Amino acid sequence: METPPRTLRPIVMPTFAPAPDLDPEAYDRMARSVRALLGIDLSQYKPAQVWRRVNGFASAKGLPDADALVAKVQHDAELRQAFLDMLTINVSEFFRNVEAWDALVAQFLRPMLLAQLSVRIWSAGCSLGYEPFTLAMLAREIAPHTPVKIMATDLDDTILSRARTGNYTEAQMAGVSPSRRARFFRNVGSNWEAKPELQALITWKRHDLLRDPYERPYDLICCRNVVIYFTEAAKVDLYKRFCDALRPGGVLFLGATESIPNVRNVGLLPAGLTFYKRP
Ligand SMILES: C[S@@+](CC[C@H](N)C(=O)[O-])C[C@H]1O[C@@H](n2cnc3c(N)ncnc32)[C@H](O)[C@@H]1O
């Protein structure tokens, strides 16, 4: 059966069940269970947002509260996966915010690919693989012969195993033009599959941005729409670590609505739109 595409639809909070106030003890219980069951450490996520989302999700599933949700998640593998998807929010698409990709190509990606002997890129929080495949298509269009390595990482193993297949439904392919489909994908039944030419550029790996060591050096790090629910302290720490993981002159590419306040404190310089450069 075809997997329906993920959409940008927010969780709908039923009007009869407003989000309860944050109850620190109940939150702690839920966070401990999430750590044990899903391996996610919520201590660096913003509690108010997480609590609202968890309770909205419980209501949507017809459950009275977070305790009932956690109890059910222990025995229900499908609900467990849906809960993980909800917590990590893996909504994505090819060429997401296309004007940002155009700017990336013009200002950074094209010059790098044409001037350097090789280019190393990290797609951090790559979800279903739209971002690393977008990067792979652009790299092959701009410089077909420049060696390019794209490290694609995500916290969520299930999402990664789907990303690895490079298989997308017609609806998921919305951002890919007919000429790019013809060049970089082949038809498999009613779906599309990325050709080996793209797959060869990408290495997939499970990686938790809040807990695991960062490899280095990268020319470009894309971390877009991943950190929205991280605490401010966790974000500062993460941006410092991204700075260390970039080579001097390397570029950090964030989501369209993201920015780094006091950017110099993390060692980076603003470089237009949602780009930051390691001096
Ligand atoms: C909204 S998607 C963003 C996908 C893509 N970067 C984009 O902009 O379209 C967020 C992804 O971040 C991942 N994520 C959330 N927390 C993470 C963490 N601590 N470490 C690594 N990945 C994480 C989620 O699993 C999800 O796939």
Side-chain angles (χ1 to χ4, degrees):
M1 207 175 71
E2 268 190 18
T3 311
R6 307 211 167 212
T7 66
L8 287 165
R9 235 178 292 123
I11 292 171
V12 179
M13 300 283 291
T15 45
F16 54 86
D21 290 340
L22 205 158
D23 167 351
E25 279 180 20
Y27 187 88
D28 255 19
R29 277 198 301 279
M30 184 274 300
R32 268 185 272 118
S33 301
V34 163
R35 184 161 191 155
L37 288 167
L38 307 175
I40 299 181
D41 178 3
L42 290 178
S43 63
Q44 295 183 75
Y45 287 68
K46 292 175 186 161
Q49 270 97 330
V50 171
W51 192 238
R52 199 169 55 235
R53 291 176 62 79
V54 167
N55 281 280
F57 182 77
S59 278
K61 298 290 172 193
L63 297 163
D65 55 28
D67 285 327
L69 173 64
V70 165
K72 190 150 189 229
V73 157
Q74 313 221 5
H75 312 289
D76 182 336
E78 206 175 306
L79 184 66
R80 189 156 58 241
Q81 183 58 44
F83 186 39
L84 177 64
D85 287 353
M86 183 280 297
L87 280 174
T88 55
I89 331 166
N90 43 41
V91 170
S92 188
E93 60 189 318
F94 289 107
F95 296 94
R96 183 174 192 174
N97 308 116
V98 70
E99 58 297 332
W101 286 99
D102 290 344
L104 176 80
V105 167
Q107 292 173 44
F108 307 110
L109 195 58
R110 186 184 301 283
M112 270 176 202
L113 284 162
L114 298 182
Q116 294 180 204
L117 293 179
S118 64
V119 173
R120 275 192 83 193
I121 303 174
W122 181 12
S123 169
C126 68
S127 184
L128 282 171
Y130 300 96
E131 189 174 276
F133 281 120
T134 297
L135 287 159
M137 284 187 264
L138 291 171
R140 278 300 156 257
E141 284 171 3
I142 296 167
H145 305 296
T146 302
V148 172
K149 283 189 177 170
I150 302 167
M151 175 62 76
T153 65
D154 202 281
L155 174 70
D156 182 344
D157 266 330
T158 311
I159 280 294
L160 268 183
S161 58
R162 283 172 58 196
R164 258 190 207 102
T165 66
N167 189 293
Y168 297 94
T169 63
E170 178 68 34
Q172 289 173 321
M173 292 289 286
V176 185
S177 66
S179 60
R180 283 185 171 136
R181 289 180 193 207
R183 175 162 173 198
F184 296 118
F185 289 81
R186 65 190 184 94
N187 279 115
V188 179
S190 56
N191 282 12
W192 295 84
E193 190 175 280
K195 288 185 182 169
E197 180 193 4
L198 292 190
Q199 301 265 18
L201 306 189
I202 305 174
T203 304
W204 306 95
K205 191 172 146 189
R206 188 201 182 267
H207 181 272
D208 184 343
L209 286 162
L210 295 172
R211 292 163 86 179
D212 295 326
Y214 290 12
E215 287 181 18
R216 61 187 302 277
Y218 288 101
D219 299 290
L220 169 65
I221 297 176
C222 305
C223 185
R224 310 182 67 223
N225 311 297
V226 176
V227 303
I228 24 179
Y229 297 114
F230 292 4
T231 61
E232 293 313 310
K235 283 191 217 175
V236 168
D237 185 49
L238 173 125
Y239 292 137
K240 281 184 180 159
R241 295 175 76 195
F242 278 151
C243 179
D244 284 345
L246 285 168
R247 65 155 171 83
V251 173
L252 173 63
F253 179 23
L254 301 183
T257 58
E258 295 167 321
S259 62
I260 309 179
N262 305 319
V263 61
R264 283 174 181 79
N265 292 349
V266 302
L268 294 165
L269 295 175
L273 220 60
T274 50
F275 304 112
Y276 296 89
K277 231 179 181 183
R278 179 172 173 173

PDB file of all heavy atoms in Angstrom, residues 102-114 116 219-220 247 249-253 270-277:
ATOM      1  N   ASP A 102      17.813  28.322  -4.134  1.00  0.00           N
ATOM      2  CA  ASP A 102      18.389  29.117  -5.227  1.00  0.00           C
ATOM      3  C   ASP A 102      19.543  29.967  -4.693  1.00  0.00           C
ATOM      4  O   ASP A 102      20.603  30.076  -5.318  1.00  0.00           O
ATOM      5  CB  ASP A 102      17.320  30.034  -5.855  1.00  0.00           C
ATOM      6  CG  ASP A 102      16.280  29.237  -6.642  1.00  0.00           C
ATOM      7  OD1 ASP A 102      16.545  28.056  -6.959  1.00  0.00           O
ATOM      8  OD2 ASP A 102      15.197  29.792  -6.933  1.00  0.00           O
ATOM      9  N   ALA A 103      19.310  30.570  -3.526  1.00  0.00           N
ATOM     10  CA  ALA A 103      20.359  31.414  -2.937  1.00  0.00           C
ATOM     11  C   ALA A 103      21.568  30.560  -2.547  1.00  0.00           C
ATOM     12  O   ALA A 103      22.718  30.952  -2.767  1.00  0.00           O
ATOM     13  CB  ALA A 103      19.808  32.155  -1.716  1.00  0.00           C
ATOM     14  N   LEU A 104      21.300  29.380  -1.979  1.00  0.00           N
ATOM     15  CA  LEU A 104      22.411  28.498  -1.589  1.00  0.00           C
ATOM     16  C   LEU A 104      23.274  28.165  -2.813  1.00  0.00           C
ATOM     17  O   LEU A 104      24.504  28.227  -2.766  1.00  0.00           O
ATOM     18  CB  LEU A 104      21.875  27.201  -0.974  1.00  0.00           C
ATOM     19  CG  LEU A 104      22.975  26.192  -0.625  1.00  0.00           C
ATOM     20  CD1 LEU A 104      23.641  26.558   0.703  1.00  0.00           C
ATOM     21  CD2 LEU A 104      22.446  24.761  -0.549  1.00  0.00           C
ATOM     22  N   VAL A 105      22.609  27.822  -3.905  1.00  0.00           N
ATOM     23  CA  VAL A 105      23.341  27.451  -5.122  1.00  0.00           C
ATOM     24  C   VAL A 105      24.182  28.632  -5.600  1.00  0.00           C
ATOM     25  O   VAL A 105      25.383  28.503  -5.851  1.00  0.00           O
ATOM     26  CB  VAL A 105      22.351  26.994  -6.230  1.00  0.00           C
ATOM     27  CG1 VAL A 105      23.052  26.914  -7.578  1.00  0.00           C
ATOM     28  CG2 VAL A 105      21.739  25.654  -5.855  1.00  0.00           C
ATOM     29  N   ALA A 106      23.532  29.803  -5.730  1.00  0.00           N
ATOM     30  CA  ALA A 106      24.224  30.954  -6.326  1.00  0.00           C
ATOM     31  C   ALA A 106      25.390  31.421  -5.459  1.00  0.00           C
ATOM     32  O   ALA A 106      26.492  31.673  -5.963  1.00  0.00           O
ATOM     33  CB  ALA A 106      23.235  32.095  -6.532  1.00  0.00           C
ATOM     34  N   GLN A 107      25.172  31.477  -4.136  1.00  0.00           N
ATOM     35  CA  GLN A 107      26.204  32.091  -3.284  1.00  0.00           C
ATOM     36  C   GLN A 107      27.267  31.108  -2.806  1.00  0.00           C
ATOM     37  O   GLN A 107      28.412  31.488  -2.608  1.00  0.00           O
ATOM     38  CB  GLN A 107      25.547  32.717  -2.056  1.00  0.00           C
ATOM     39  CG  GLN A 107      24.676  33.915  -2.366  1.00  0.00           C
ATOM     40  CD  GLN A 107      23.922  34.363  -1.121  1.00  0.00           C
ATOM     41  OE1 GLN A 107      24.470  34.441  -0.037  1.00  0.00           O
ATOM     42  NE2 GLN A 107      22.651  34.637  -1.261  1.00  0.00           N
ATOM     43  N   PHE A 108      26.880  29.857  -2.591  1.00  0.00           N
ATOM     44  CA  PHE A 108      27.829  28.950  -1.933  1.00  0.00           C
ATOM     45  C   PHE A 108      28.063  27.632  -2.674  1.00  0.00           C
ATOM     46  O   PHE A 108      29.197  27.230  -2.876  1.00  0.00           O
ATOM     47  CB  PHE A 108      27.355  28.640  -0.501  1.00  0.00           C
ATOM     48  CG  PHE A 108      27.087  29.862   0.307  1.00  0.00           C
ATOM     49  CD1 PHE A 108      25.797  30.217   0.670  1.00  0.00           C
ATOM     50  CD2 PHE A 108      28.133  30.708   0.686  1.00  0.00           C
ATOM     51  CE1 PHE A 108      25.542  31.363   1.403  1.00  0.00           C
ATOM     52  CE2 PHE A 108      27.889  31.863   1.426  1.00  0.00           C
ATOM     53  CZ  PHE A 108      26.591  32.184   1.782  1.00  0.00           C
ATOM     54  N   LEU A 109      26.981  26.946  -3.041  1.00  0.00           N
ATOM     55  CA  LEU A 109      27.153  25.575  -3.530  1.00  0.00           C
ATOM     56  C   LEU A 109      27.879  25.545  -4.880  1.00  0.00           C
ATOM     57  O   LEU A 109      28.817  24.771  -5.075  1.00  0.00           O
ATOM     58  CB  LEU A 109      25.782  24.885  -3.627  1.00  0.00           C
ATOM     59  CG  LEU A 109      25.814  23.371  -3.766  1.00  0.00           C
ATOM     60  CD1 LEU A 109      26.543  22.705  -2.605  1.00  0.00           C
ATOM     61  CD2 LEU A 109      24.381  22.801  -3.856  1.00  0.00           C
ATOM     62  N   ARG A 110      27.448  26.404  -5.811  1.00  0.00           N
ATOM     63  CA  ARG A 110      28.109  26.406  -7.123  1.00  0.00           C
ATOM     64  C   ARG A 110      29.594  26.766  -6.995  1.00  0.00           C
ATOM     65  O   ARG A 110      30.452  26.024  -7.485  1.00  0.00           O
ATOM     66  CB  ARG A 110      27.393  27.372  -8.078  1.00  0.00           C
ATOM     67  CG  ARG A 110      27.920  27.323  -9.515  1.00  0.00           C
ATOM     68  CD  ARG A 110      27.249  28.366 -10.394  1.00  0.00           C
ATOM     69  NE  ARG A 110      25.802  28.222 -10.462  1.00  0.00           N
ATOM     70  CZ  ARG A 110      25.166  27.309 -11.201  1.00  0.00           C
ATOM     71  NH1 ARG A 110      25.853  26.486 -11.954  1.00  0.00           N
ATOM     72  NH2 ARG A 110      23.853  27.244 -11.195  1.00  0.00           N
ATOM     73  N   PRO A 111      29.916  27.895  -6.287  1.00  0.00           N
ATOM     74  CA  PRO A 111      31.343  28.215  -6.146  1.00  0.00           C
ATOM     75  C   PRO A 111      32.146  27.077  -5.511  1.00  0.00           C
ATOM     76  O   PRO A 111      33.246  26.755  -5.960  1.00  0.00           O
ATOM     77  CB  PRO A 111      31.357  29.458  -5.254  1.00  0.00           C
ATOM     78  CG  PRO A 111      29.998  30.068  -5.435  1.00  0.00           C
ATOM     79  CD  PRO A 111      29.054  28.958  -5.727  1.00  0.00           C
ATOM     80  N   MET A 112      31.594  26.438  -4.469  1.00  0.00           N
ATOM     81  CA  MET A 112      32.317  25.327  -3.817  1.00  0.00           C
ATOM     82  C   MET A 112      32.562  24.192  -4.789  1.00  0.00           C
ATOM     83  O   MET A 112      33.673  23.670  -4.905  1.00  0.00           O
ATOM     84  CB  MET A 112      31.444  24.718  -2.698  1.00  0.00           C
ATOM     85  CG  MET A 112      31.596  25.327  -1.355  1.00  0.00           C
ATOM     86  SD  MET A 112      30.380  24.502  -0.263  1.00  0.00           S
ATOM     87  CE  MET A 112      30.242  25.750   0.993  1.00  0.00           C
ATOM     88  N   LEU A 113      31.498  23.803  -5.496  1.00  0.00           N
ATOM     89  CA  LEU A 113      31.598  22.624  -6.370  1.00  0.00           C
ATOM     90  C   LEU A 113      32.525  22.885  -7.552  1.00  0.00           C
ATOM     91  O   LEU A 113      33.160  21.961  -8.063  1.00  0.00           O
ATOM     92  CB  LEU A 113      30.199  22.235  -6.877  1.00  0.00           C
ATOM     93  CG  LEU A 113      29.325  21.531  -5.839  1.00  0.00           C
ATOM     94  CD1 LEU A 113      27.846  21.583  -6.249  1.00  0.00           C
ATOM     95  CD2 LEU A 113      29.750  20.068  -5.666  1.00  0.00           C
ATOM     96  N   LEU A 114      32.599  24.149  -7.989  1.00  0.00           N
ATOM     97  CA  LEU A 114      33.444  24.441  -9.153  1.00  0.00           C
ATOM     98  C   LEU A 114      34.896  24.710  -8.755  1.00  0.00           C
ATOM     99  O   LEU A 114      35.804  24.475  -9.547  1.00  0.00           O
ATOM    100  CB  LEU A 114      32.863  25.611  -9.954  1.00  0.00           C
ATOM    101  CG  LEU A 114      31.469  25.338 -10.539  1.00  0.00           C
ATOM    102  CD1 LEU A 114      30.964  26.527 -11.363  1.00  0.00           C
ATOM    103  CD2 LEU A 114      31.440  24.072 -11.403  1.00  0.00           C
ATOM    104  N   GLN A 116      36.484  23.609  -5.664  1.00  0.00           N
ATOM    105  CA  GLN A 116      37.162  22.646  -4.781  1.00  0.00           C
ATOM    106  C   GLN A 116      37.355  21.301  -5.480  1.00  0.00           C
ATOM    107  O   GLN A 116      36.615  20.935  -6.386  1.00  0.00           O
ATOM    108  CB  GLN A 116      36.332  22.432  -3.510  1.00  0.00           C
ATOM    109  CG  GLN A 116      36.254  23.679  -2.649  1.00  0.00           C
ATOM    110  CD  GLN A 116      35.426  23.486  -1.381  1.00  0.00           C
ATOM    111  OE1 GLN A 116      34.915  24.450  -0.836  1.00  0.00           O
ATOM    112  NE2 GLN A 116      35.287  22.252  -0.914  1.00  0.00           N
ATOM    113  N   ASP A 219      32.109  21.200   4.444  1.00  0.00           N
ATOM    114  CA  ASP A 219      32.047  22.459   3.695  1.00  0.00           C
ATOM    115  C   ASP A 219      30.689  23.121   3.898  1.00  0.00           C
ATOM    116  O   ASP A 219      30.578  24.345   3.887  1.00  0.00           O
ATOM    117  CB  ASP A 219      32.242  22.190   2.196  1.00  0.00           C
ATOM    118  CG  ASP A 219      33.597  21.561   1.927  1.00  0.00           C
ATOM    119  OD1 ASP A 219      34.605  22.269   2.081  1.00  0.00           O
ATOM    120  OD2 ASP A 219      33.644  20.352   1.610  1.00  0.00           O
ATOM    121  N   LEU A 220      29.672  22.279   4.055  1.00  0.00           N
ATOM    122  CA  LEU A 220      28.304  22.787   4.194  1.00  0.00           C
ATOM    123  C   LEU A 220      27.547  21.891   5.170  1.00  0.00           C
ATOM    124  O   LEU A 220      27.607  20.661   5.050  1.00  0.00           O
ATOM    125  CB  LEU A 220      27.620  22.742   2.815  1.00  0.00           C
ATOM    126  CG  LEU A 220      26.115  22.987   2.759  1.00  0.00           C
ATOM    127  CD1 LEU A 220      25.772  24.417   3.186  1.00  0.00           C
ATOM    128  CD2 LEU A 220      25.578  22.745   1.332  1.00  0.00           C
ATOM    129  N   ARG A 247      34.646  23.500   8.172  1.00  0.00           N
ATOM    130  CA  ARG A 247      36.000  23.987   7.889  1.00  0.00           C
ATOM    131  C   ARG A 247      35.932  25.516   7.872  1.00  0.00           C
ATOM    132  O   ARG A 247      34.842  26.076   7.673  1.00  0.00           O
ATOM    133  CB  ARG A 247      36.479  23.454   6.534  1.00  0.00           C
ATOM    134  CG  ARG A 247      35.663  23.980   5.376  1.00  0.00           C
ATOM    135  CD  ARG A 247      36.412  23.990   4.071  1.00  0.00           C
ATOM    136  NE  ARG A 247      35.521  24.301   2.969  1.00  0.00           N
ATOM    137  CZ  ARG A 247      35.145  25.517   2.591  1.00  0.00           C
ATOM    138  NH1 ARG A 247      35.552  26.606   3.252  1.00  0.00           N
ATOM    139  NH2 ARG A 247      34.335  25.691   1.545  1.00  0.00           N
ATOM    140  N   GLY A 249      35.493  28.985   6.559  1.00  0.00           N
ATOM    141  CA  GLY A 249      34.829  29.362   5.299  1.00  0.00           C
ATOM    142  C   GLY A 249      33.609  28.514   4.998  1.00  0.00           C
ATOM    143  O   GLY A 249      32.858  28.810   4.072  1.00  0.00           O
ATOM    144  N   GLY A 250      33.404  27.451   5.790  1.00  0.00           N
ATOM    145  CA  GLY A 250      32.254  26.562   5.573  1.00  0.00           C
ATOM    146  C   GLY A 250      30.948  27.247   5.963  1.00  0.00           C
ATOM    147  O   GLY A 250      30.935  28.235   6.695  1.00  0.00           O
ATOM    148  N   VAL A 251      29.842  26.696   5.472  1.00  0.00           N
ATOM    149  CA  VAL A 251      28.545  27.374   5.578  1.00  0.00           C
ATOM    150  C   VAL A 251      27.526  26.512   6.329  1.00  0.00           C
ATOM    151  O   VAL A 251      27.428  25.304   6.088  1.00  0.00           O
ATOM    152  CB  VAL A 251      28.008  27.682   4.156  1.00  0.00           C
ATOM    153  CG1 VAL A 251      26.589  28.225   4.207  1.00  0.00           C
ATOM    154  CG2 VAL A 251      28.927  28.653   3.447  1.00  0.00           C
ATOM    155  N   LEU A 252      26.765  27.168   7.230  1.00  0.00           N
ATOM    156  CA  LEU A 252      25.636  26.518   7.902  1.00  0.00           C
ATOM    157  C   LEU A 252      24.346  27.055   7.277  1.00  0.00           C
ATOM    158  O   LEU A 252      24.159  28.268   7.159  1.00  0.00           O
ATOM    159  CB  LEU A 252      25.679  26.856   9.406  1.00  0.00           C
ATOM    160  CG  LEU A 252      24.484  26.399  10.237  1.00  0.00           C
ATOM    161  CD1 LEU A 252      24.358  24.865  10.253  1.00  0.00           C
ATOM    162  CD2 LEU A 252      24.613  26.918  11.683  1.00  0.00           C
ATOM    163  N   PHE A 253      23.472  26.147   6.873  1.00  0.00           N
ATOM    164  CA  PHE A 253      22.223  26.495   6.179  1.00  0.00           C
ATOM    165  C   PHE A 253      21.055  26.096   7.086  1.00  0.00           C
ATOM    166  O   PHE A 253      20.858  24.914   7.369  1.00  0.00           O
ATOM    167  CB  PHE A 253      22.203  25.702   4.865  1.00  0.00           C
ATOM    168  CG  PHE A 253      21.002  25.875   3.973  1.00  0.00           C
ATOM    169  CD1 PHE A 253      20.189  27.003   4.021  1.00  0.00           C
ATOM    170  CD2 PHE A 253      20.693  24.885   3.033  1.00  0.00           C
ATOM    171  CE1 PHE A 253      19.096  27.136   3.170  1.00  0.00           C
ATOM    172  CE2 PHE A 253      19.607  25.008   2.176  1.00  0.00           C
ATOM    173  CZ  PHE A 253      18.798  26.130   2.246  1.00  0.00           C
ATOM    174  N   PRO A 270      26.974  36.056  10.161  1.00  0.00           N
ATOM    175  CA  PRO A 270      25.820  35.993   9.268  1.00  0.00           C
ATOM    176  C   PRO A 270      26.277  36.126   7.821  1.00  0.00           C
ATOM    177  O   PRO A 270      27.187  36.878   7.522  1.00  0.00           O
ATOM    178  CB  PRO A 270      24.970  37.201   9.677  1.00  0.00           C
ATOM    179  CG  PRO A 270      25.795  38.016  10.584  1.00  0.00           C
ATOM    180  CD  PRO A 270      26.991  37.251  11.011  1.00  0.00           C
ATOM    181  N   ALA A 271      25.640  35.365   6.923  1.00  0.00           N
ATOM    182  CA  ALA A 271      26.052  35.409   5.519  1.00  0.00           C
ATOM    183  C   ALA A 271      24.824  35.512   4.609  1.00  0.00           C
ATOM    184  O   ALA A 271      24.779  34.946   3.528  1.00  0.00           O
ATOM    185  CB  ALA A 271      26.882  34.170   5.184  1.00  0.00           C
ATOM    186  N   GLY A 272      23.787  36.247   5.077  1.00  0.00           N
ATOM    187  CA  GLY A 272      22.598  36.464   4.245  1.00  0.00           C
ATOM    188  C   GLY A 272      21.536  35.419   4.498  1.00  0.00           C
ATOM    189  O   GLY A 272      21.846  34.298   4.891  1.00  0.00           O
ATOM    190  N   LEU A 273      20.279  35.806   4.260  1.00  0.00           N
ATOM    191  CA  LEU A 273      19.114  34.929   4.383  1.00  0.00           C
ATOM    192  C   LEU A 273      19.223  34.045   5.632  1.00  0.00           C
ATOM    193  O   LEU A 273      19.238  34.553   6.742  1.00  0.00           O
ATOM    194  CB  LEU A 273      18.977  34.096   3.109  1.00  0.00           C
ATOM    195  CG  LEU A 273      17.560  33.869   2.567  1.00  0.00           C
ATOM    196  CD1 LEU A 273      16.890  35.211   2.242  1.00  0.00           C
ATOM    197  CD2 LEU A 273      17.586  32.994   1.316  1.00  0.00           C
ATOM    198  N   THR A 274      19.316  32.740   5.487  1.00  0.00           N
ATOM    199  CA  THR A 274      19.472  31.874   6.667  1.00  0.00           C
ATOM    200  C   THR A 274      20.796  31.130   6.593  1.00  0.00           C
ATOM    201  O   THR A 274      20.875  29.937   6.891  1.00  0.00           O
ATOM    202  CB  THR A 274      18.308  30.882   6.772  1.00  0.00           C
ATOM    203  OG1 THR A 274      18.176  30.255   5.505  1.00  0.00           O
ATOM    204  CG2 THR A 274      17.023  31.551   7.139  1.00  0.00           C
ATOM    205  N   PHE A 275      21.832  31.863   6.152  1.00  0.00           N
ATOM    206  CA  PHE A 275      23.160  31.256   6.033  1.00  0.00           C
ATOM    207  C   PHE A 275      24.117  31.877   7.052  1.00  0.00           C
ATOM    208  O   PHE A 275      24.046  33.073   7.332  1.00  0.00           O
ATOM    209  CB  PHE A 275      23.728  31.486   4.629  1.00  0.00           C
ATOM    210  CG  PHE A 275      22.829  30.990   3.538  1.00  0.00           C
ATOM    211  CD1 PHE A 275      22.198  31.876   2.680  1.00  0.00           C
ATOM    212  CD2 PHE A 275      22.598  29.634   3.377  1.00  0.00           C
ATOM    213  CE1 PHE A 275      21.350  31.419   1.687  1.00  0.00           C
ATOM    214  CE2 PHE A 275      21.753  29.171   2.381  1.00  0.00           C
ATOM    215  CZ  PHE A 275      21.130  30.064   1.537  1.00  0.00           C
ATOM    216  N   TYR A 276      25.013  31.041   7.561  1.00  0.00           N
ATOM    217  CA  TYR A 276      26.043  31.500   8.493  1.00  0.00           C
ATOM    218  C   TYR A 276      27.363  30.876   8.073  1.00  0.00           C
ATOM    219  O   TYR A 276      27.389  29.740   7.586  1.00  0.00           O
ATOM    220  CB  TYR A 276      25.679  31.087   9.929  1.00  0.00           C
ATOM    221  CG  TYR A 276      24.404  31.758  10.377  1.00  0.00           C
ATOM    222  CD1 TYR A 276      23.162  31.157  10.151  1.00  0.00           C
ATOM    223  CD2 TYR A 276      24.435  33.025  10.962  1.00  0.00           C
ATOM    224  CE1 TYR A 276      21.992  31.796  10.514  1.00  0.00           C
ATOM    225  CE2 TYR A 276      23.263  33.661  11.330  1.00  0.00           C
ATOM    226  CZ  TYR A 276      22.041  33.047  11.105  1.00  0.00           C
ATOM    227  OH  TYR A 276      20.886  33.679  11.455  1.00  0.00           O
ATOM    228  N   LYS A 277      28.451  31.652   8.264  1.00  0.00           N
ATOM    229  CA  LYS A 277      29.742  31.198   7.794  1.00  0.00           C
ATOM    230  C   LYS A 277      30.720  31.077   8.939  1.00  0.00           C
ATOM    231  O   LYS A 277      30.719  31.916   9.842  1.00  0.00           O
ATOM    232  CB  LYS A 277      30.282  32.249   6.813  1.00  0.00           C
ATOM    233  CG  LYS A 277      30.717  31.656   5.504  1.00  0.00           C
ATOM    234  CD  LYS A 277      31.226  32.710   4.557  1.00  0.00           C
ATOM    235  CE  LYS A 277      31.600  31.976   3.291  1.00  0.00           C
ATOM    236  NZ  LYS A 277      32.176  32.775   2.278  1.00  0.00           N
TER     237      LYS A 277
END
